C-alpha cells in the first residue's frame, strides 16, 4: 500500500492518504475530502457515535446515504419490497422520498447487500460526533458509483424474493448525498451495529 501526502483544501494542513482509501480526514478542521484529477473535493459527512460497548473490534464503516425520489410507474407485484417501502414512507403513495444506504466499503456481496437493504428499510438512529473514535474503514466506492449502485440494489432486493416479482417499472433520482460513517463492531468478518 502506497501512502501519499495531500493538503486539506480548507486549512492547508498536510495529511497522509493511503491510496486504498479514497477519503482524507483533516484532524485539525475536521474536513473530509477526496482528491480528483480536477483537485480536492470536500465531502459532506457525519460520524456516528457508539451507543454501547462490546468486547469486539470497533470500526467506523462508510455508507453513502442517498436522499432519493422514487416513483413507481407500474407494477404487478404481490408484496414487493419497493411498493411496501414506498407506501410506508409516503403514507400509501406510489412515489416519494427515501434514504438509500449504499455501503462505500469492500464487503463480501451477501454482507454488502444485507446492510444496504437493512439500513434502507430501517434508517439508523445515531448521535453524531465530530471525530472518529475508532478505526475508519477505507472508502472504496465513490459517490458516482454509489448512485449507479442504488438502482441496481433496489432491483436486486425485489428480484431476489422468490415468487414475488412479476413486473415493476420505477424511477430513482438521487437528490442529495452524504457519506455517513456508522459505528460497528467486527469479529471474524461479522458485523454488529454499534448505534
Amino acid at each position: 500500500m502506497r501512502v501519499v501526502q495531500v493538503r486539506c483544501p480548507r486549512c492547508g494542513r498536510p495529511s497522509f492518504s493511503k491510496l486504498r482509501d479514497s477519503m482524507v480526514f483533516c484532524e485539525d478542521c475536521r474536513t473530509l475530502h477526496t482528491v480528483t484529477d480536477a483537485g480536492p473535493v470536500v465531502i459532506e459527512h457525519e460520524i456516528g457515535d457508539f451507543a454501547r460497548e462490546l468486547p469486539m473490534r470497533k470500526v467506523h464503516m462508510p455508507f453513502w446515504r442517498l436522499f432519493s425520489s422514487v416513483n413507481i410507474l407500474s407494477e404487478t407485484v404481490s408484496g414487493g419490497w419497493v411498493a411496501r417501502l414506498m407506501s410506508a414512507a409516503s403514507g400509501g403513495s406510489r412515489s416519494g422520498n427515501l434514504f438509500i444506504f449504499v455501503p462505500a466499503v469492500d464487503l463480501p456481496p451477501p454482507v454488502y447487500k444485507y446492510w444496504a437493504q437493512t439500513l434502507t428499510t430501517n434508517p439508523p438512529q445515531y448521535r453524531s460526533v465530530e471525530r472518529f473514535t475508532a478505526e475508519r474503514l477505507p472508502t472504496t466506492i465513490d459517490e458516482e458509483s454509489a448512485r449507479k449502485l442504488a438502482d441496481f440494489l433496489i432491483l436486486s432486493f425485489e428480484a431476489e424474493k422468490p415468487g414475488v416479482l412479476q413486473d415493476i417499472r420505477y424511477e430513482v433520482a438521487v437528490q442529495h448525498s452524504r457519506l455517513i460513517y456508522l459505528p460497528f463492531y467486527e469479529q471474524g468478518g461479522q458485523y454488529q451495529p454499534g448505534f
Side-chain angles (χ1 to χ4, degrees):
M1 180 187 309
R2 194 157 67 91
V3 177
V4 297
Q5 187 185 60
V6 294
R7 289 192 176 276
C8 174
R10 286 196 171 139
C11 71
R13 178 185 191 271
S15 299
F16 292 93
S17 170
K18 300 172 184 173
L19 289 185
R20 189 166 152 246
D21 189 350
S22 63
M23 297 295 159
V24 180
F25 182 74
C26 178
E27 295 292 342
D28 280 359
C29 69
R30 303 184 301 277
T31 296
L32 185 75
H33 76 276
T34 188
V35 179
T36 68
D37 292 341
V41 176
V42 174
I43 302 295
E44 287 186 43
H45 72 283
E46 290 179 16
I47 304 169
D49 195 13
F50 286 85
R52 57 184 178 146
E53 289 294 327
L54 295 176
M56 301 166 64
R57 175 185 173 218
K58 297 167 75 172
V59 297
H60 286 285
M61 187 185 299
F63 290 84
W64 287 105
R65 188 183 70 186
L66 307 175
F67 181 68
S68 308
S69 298
V70 179
N71 182 25
I72 299 175
L73 303 172
S74 67
E75 62 174 334
T76 52
V77 177
S78 175
W81 181 82
V82 173
R84 282 187 288 112
L85 187 63
M86 285 310 307
S87 180
S90 61
S93 173
R94 294 164 57 91
S95 63
N97 301 317
L98 57 84
F99 287 116
I100 300 173
F101 284 79
V102 178
V105 62
D106 287 333
L107 294 171
V111 178
Y112 191 94
K113 289 165 66 174
Y114 172 81
W115 284 112
Q117 184 170 13
T118 298
L119 297 178
T120 299
T121 305
N122 299 295
Q125 303 294 315
Y126 56 88
R127 187 174 69 88
S128 294
V129 293
E130 294 185 343
R131 296 182 186 279
F132 293 97
T133 57
E135 178 186 350
R136 176 168 60 97
L137 295 184
T139 298
T140 57
I141 307 292
D142 64 21
E143 181 185 2
E144 182 179 342
S145 298
R147 287 173 180 251
K148 293 175 182 173
L149 277 169
D151 192 42
F152 167 76
L153 286 169
I154 286 180
L155 185 60
S156 69
F157 300 154
E158 198 77 45
E160 290 178 358
K161 296 183 183 304
V164 172
L165 176 67
Q166 291 93 40
D167 179 61
I168 185 168
R169 291 191 314 117
Y170 63 91
E171 297 173 334
V172 177
V174 176
Q175 308 294 329
H176 180 262
S177 64
R178 178 170 291 189
L179 193 60
I180 309 294
Y181 287 91
L182 293 176
F184 275 84
Y185 288 97
E186 186 272 338
Q187 189 168 52
Q190 302 294 314
Y191 293 92
Q192 292 188 34
F195 43 88

